[in-house]
Amino acid sequence: MKTLRVLIGFLLLNTYSLAQQGSLRLNINYTVATPTGSFKDYIEETSMRGWTANLLYGINEKISVGLGLGFHDFYQKYPRAVYNLQEGGEISAVLSNSLQAIPILASVQYKFMPGAAVQPYIGAGIGGNVIIYNQYIGEFSNATNNFGFAVRPEAGVYIPIGKRDFGININGIYNYMPYSKNGLDNINSWGVGAGVRFDLR
């Protein structure tokens, strides 16, 4: 977790320094995410419990840089069945899988048509990912916390409303998160989101 604290501190310090030079914008989106690849073997259901946020400084009209955060809570309960225990033997029980992913990313966004009524953009974030893994088989549990690599490309549109650069943001994202523990190869997911963007100063 020391690496996580250093990463957060570095990103916040650089974002704060940029904020002293000009305007600072905040994007906050509610996000729905769906597991992909081998992650679907662990949890199949789409998560309705997620959000993303980007704190961005505009270098110019088209390019912004800053800090990106996120949270996705995946959960699925499977019906009672017979499962093999790691310690040996079998058990008839209900299986519950749970995973929370918290990416912390250095982010960049590029707007194609600044000043337009509808402004398409693309973006990307790269950094670290806090992973909270839990699996319950009846009364037996397996819980681990890890920190790993994460990349989050995105594309969307910003629709300004009124003054002070306030508006609606709609986007699509892909969370690339390698994870080679607990029988999983990755915890990748794709998602769609909607929210607001506004100036902080």
Side-chain angles (χ1 to χ4, degrees):
M1 298 303 289
K2 181 179 179 181
T3 303
L4 173 61
R5 290 194 295 269
V6 171
L7 177 62
I8 293 173
F10 174 77
L11 292 174
L12 288 177
L13 179 62
N14 281 274
T15 303
Y16 176 78
S17 298
L18 289 171
Q20 306 312 303
Q21 304 172 24
S23 64
L24 195 63
R25 300 182 182 123
L26 180 63
N27 299 348
I28 301 176
N29 277 16
Y30 167 73
T31 304
V32 175
T34 300
T36 65
S38 65
F39 190 22
K40 293 181 68 175
D41 296 333
Y42 180 69
I43 293 177
E44 298 177 344
E45 296 180 353
T46 296
S47 169
M48 308 297 289
R49 300 170 300 279
W51 56 266
T52 61
N54 288 296
L55 186 62
L56 298 169
Y57 168 77
I59 295 176
N60 54 43
E61 286 188 338
K62 292 188 175 183
I63 300 174
S64 299
V65 296
L67 173 67
L69 301 174
F71 175 79
H72 293 98
D73 180 18
F74 298 93
Y75 176 82
Q76 186 163 355
K77 181 181 287 187
Y78 293 90
R80 180 175 293 274
V82 176
Y83 298 98
N84 295 319
L85 297 176
Q86 291 182 351
E87 300 82 3
E90 297 179 337
I91 184 174
S92 175
V94 173
L95 173 68
S96 297
N97 289 336
S98 171
L99 187 142
Q100 290 78 44
I102 308 169
I104 304 164
L105 312 169
S107 296
V108 60
Q109 285 188 0
Y110 179 86
K111 286 194 295 185
F112 292 97
M113 301 167 57
V118 177
Q119 301 174 19
Y121 71 88
I122 57 173
I126 184 170
N129 184 35
V130 179
I131 304 159
I132 304 170
Y133 170 100
N134 287 281
Q135 184 176 69
Y136 301 92
I137 304 177
E139 62 184 28
F140 299 94
S141 66
N142 178 22
T144 59
N145 297 337
N146 302 104
F147 183 77
F149 178 71
V151 175
R152 185 177 72 197
E154 68 172 307
V157 294
Y158 167 67
I159 305 171
I161 300 174
K163 300 179 179 180
R164 291 191 57 80
D165 202 28
F166 176 82
I168 297 172
N169 192 68
I170 301 170
N171 70 348
I173 61 175
Y174 184 77
N175 298 296
Y176 174 71
M177 300 179 181
Y179 183 76
S180 59
K181 295 178 175 60
N182 301 302
L184 293 171
D185 293 328
N186 64 70
I187 53 170
N188 301 341
S189 65
W190 67 270
V192 293
V196 295
R197 189 183 86 178
F198 52 89
D199 276 352
L200 295 179
R201 54 169 293 168

